Amino acid sequence: MNDTARDTARKILKGREGTRTVLPGIHILAAQGNALAVETAQGVVLMDSGPGGRVTARMITELRSLTAAPVVAICYSHGHLGYNDGAGDWLAHNAERGDPAPRLVAHANCNRRYARYRETLGLQRGLASIQFPGLEVSFSMVDATVEFHDRLALVDGARRVELLWVPAETDDTIAMWLPDDRVLYAGAAFPGTTIPNIGTPLRTQRFTVRWAESLERMAALGAQCLVQEFGPVIEGEDAVRERLLDTAQVLRWLRAEVVERMNRGMSEREILADIRFPPQWRERSYLKARYGAPEYNVRDLYREENGWWDRNPTSLHPASPAAAAAAVRDALGTPDRVLAHAAALRDRGETQLALHVVDLLALCEDDEPITREARQLKAALCRARAQEVEPYVSKALYQSSAELLEAGRKGWLTS
């Protein structure tokens, strides 16, 4: 994996703030994104433990430069890997200090997610390697010891700490609300650097309207300070409310636009070709297609109401990809012309069309010279396409696909 892809993957997972004290006793720690440490009369409440290893070790050092108080609770912002793989490191840290083990607090869906990840560990490793090429994920999952469903008063007293269920990127996403300080930690419910990452290519559904409802729930709190998952801290009640409600409005607009087209009988690909995301929204930093993308969102919305059939009868009971590709190649009779046409489309800057054409040859399983040449052209097209699209995930998948093709592999099968 080239260093550029690895550095890009690291950058996309890095919080904007580093280590910073937001208010006395409320600190952002640099983790996978922005973690939060809150000093209370009972001790420190931590939101996210980091990915483990060097990053979590640095978090522990940073916290100890700020306070000697024990960590009494670690809250899991959501169950995606990397955000709380470091929980075991914090447990060991407490033990070394002679402090009681902290409570590990999460939404009730989080432990279920971890159970699913353990069951599908081979798949999860594969997805991580494709989406975050060059990065190592520890896959260290420590189950929560305290679960809640809708709202939990975690700490009472002079600095109250409340946890809210705000299903968004995952069905176990939670937010931390400090009502006395009017500080909201939105975590995965508000990335802060991208339109919500709904419908990303490798992940399960994220349900657009449910995410909008979570944003509206958080907007109603009246927070004066918003700590975002990756973006900078937002100050001022109006600014916080604007960002949350703007994003909810965009999600509801997308839902309405997709539903209107579905009701007219349009297929997913027809909707993708027809819908136009208003340019004024693209200009806002928190709605840019950096990680999420409006096109991803359209796909997720379509899946909410439709099955897997793409309305093409050929796809109902398909032949294997290799057999279908071979049949098409044989029908063409002149594969050299196909390759030449794909190259001509590339030279005209029509990369996506060139990909459609080159697949007539590249999906064949044989190792004929023309097939190998087609795969190498497809790899080059993938690298070019990665430069043309905005969302990080799409860039990563094009680059990962190019590496696979350049290595002479015919698919993602690992054994």
Side-chain angles (χ1 to χ4, degrees), residues 21-148:
T21 296
V22 179
L23 290 173
I26 303 176
H27 316 286
I28 294 174
L29 302 179
Q32 185 159 295
N34 300 316
L36 196 70
V38 181
E39 297 180 54
T40 74
Q42 297 178 16
V44 175
V45 173
L46 185 66
M47 178 67 95
D48 285 351
S49 63
R54 288 179 296 177
V55 174
T56 295
R58 185 185 65 235
M59 293 172 66
I60 293 171
T61 299
E62 290 171 349
L63 180 67
R64 289 300 156 227
S65 72
L66 297 167
T67 177
V71 175
V72 296
I74 300 174
C75 306
Y76 294 4
S77 67
H78 64 305
H80 274 166
L81 297 170
Y83 292 88
N84 283 289
D85 291 33
D89 298 345
W90 285 96
L91 291 171
H93 172 68
N94 270 36
E96 289 169 3
R97 285 168 44 97
D99 295 333
R103 291 175 288 168
L104 305 179
V105 187
H107 187 266
N109 289 333
C110 185
N111 283 349
R112 298 189 187 102
R113 175 178 298 275
Y114 279 180
R116 195 174 83 244
Y117 283 175
R118 293 185 184 103
E119 179 189 13
T120 61
L121 191 56
L123 170 66
Q124 301 308 323
R125 291 187 189 280
L127 296 180
S129 69
I130 297 168
Q131 185 167 326
F132 300 111
L135 291 189
E136 293 185 6
V137 181
S138 72
F139 296 95
S140 175
M141 291 166 276
V142 181
D143 285 343
T145 57
V146 177
E147 299 179 337
F148 74 99

Side-chain angles (χ1 to χ4, degrees), residues 260-413:
E260 188 273 332
R261 287 164 174 79
M262 286 191 298
N263 285 340
R264 287 197 275 127
M266 294 176 71
S267 69
E268 179 186 72
R269 294 180 73 171
E270 288 170 335
I271 295 172
L272 284 167
D274 185 66
I275 201 166
R276 294 291 179 269
F277 191 67
Q280 67 269 23
W281 282 339
R282 286 188 185 272
E283 295 170 2
R284 300 178 189 181
S285 62
Y286 50 96
L287 293 175
K288 288 185 177 294
R290 290 193 177 100
Y291 192 83
E295 296 85 353
Y296 294 170
N297 198 296
V298 168
R299 290 182 181 275
D300 211 68
L301 283 160
Y302 192 86
R303 280 195 295 163
E304 285 188 33
E305 305 296 343
N306 288 272
W308 51 263
W309 187 42
D310 63 0
R311 304 302 193 265
N312 180 358
T314 305
S315 66
L316 276 174
H317 296 280
S320 73
V328 170
R329 182 196 58 196
D330 293 345
L332 292 169
T334 53
D336 287 337
R337 291 182 59 189
V338 173
L339 200 60
H341 187 57
L345 287 167
R346 175 203 59 195
D347 294 342
R348 294 205 300 264
E350 298 182 75
T351 312
Q352 185 58 47
L353 286 178
L355 279 169
H356 288 300
V357 171
V358 80
D359 266 353
L360 298 175
L361 299 175
L363 293 179
C364 293
E365 281 197 337
D366 62 65
D367 282 317
E368 295 294 322
I370 192 72
T371 307
R372 293 199 300 270
E373 189 177 352
R375 292 192 194 118
Q376 293 307 305
L377 175 56
K378 185 174 180 178
L381 292 170
C382 285
R383 296 224 182 262
R385 198 75 177 105
Q387 301 302 313
E388 295 173 355
V389 298
E390 294 179 285
Y392 163 79
V393 178
S394 292
K395 290 178 180 290
L397 301 193
Y398 282 125
Q399 297 285 12
S400 296
S401 298
E403 290 210 349
L404 179 140
L405 291 162
E406 289 162 353
R409 293 176 58 194
K410 301 171 186 176
W412 297 102
L413 190 66

Side-chain angles (χ1 to χ4, degrees), residues 198-274:
I198 296 167
T200 50
L202 297 178
R203 307 298 173 177
T204 55
Q205 287 183 269
R206 291 173 177 176
F207 303 106
T208 300
V209 172
R210 185 175 70 177
W211 196 324
E213 291 169 347
S214 292
L215 292 164
E216 290 158 354
R217 182 182 192 185
M218 292 188 293
L221 296 170
Q224 288 184 334
C225 175
L226 172 65
V227 179
Q228 305 177 108
E229 184 180 30
F230 291 105
V233 171
I234 303 301
E235 304 279 359
E237 184 175 350
D238 290 343
V240 171
R241 182 178 175 83
E242 177 186 45
R243 280 164 173 75
L244 295 173
L245 292 184
D246 270 1
T247 307
Q249 180 187 3
V250 166
L251 298 184
R252 291 189 180 279
W253 178 87
L254 280 163
R255 167 74 184 183
E257 293 293 310
V258 172
V259 167
E260 188 273 332
R261 287 164 174 79
M262 286 191 298
N263 285 340
R264 287 197 275 127
M266 294 176 71
S267 69
E268 179 186 72
R269 294 180 73 171
E270 288 170 335
I271 295 172
L272 284 167
D274 185 66

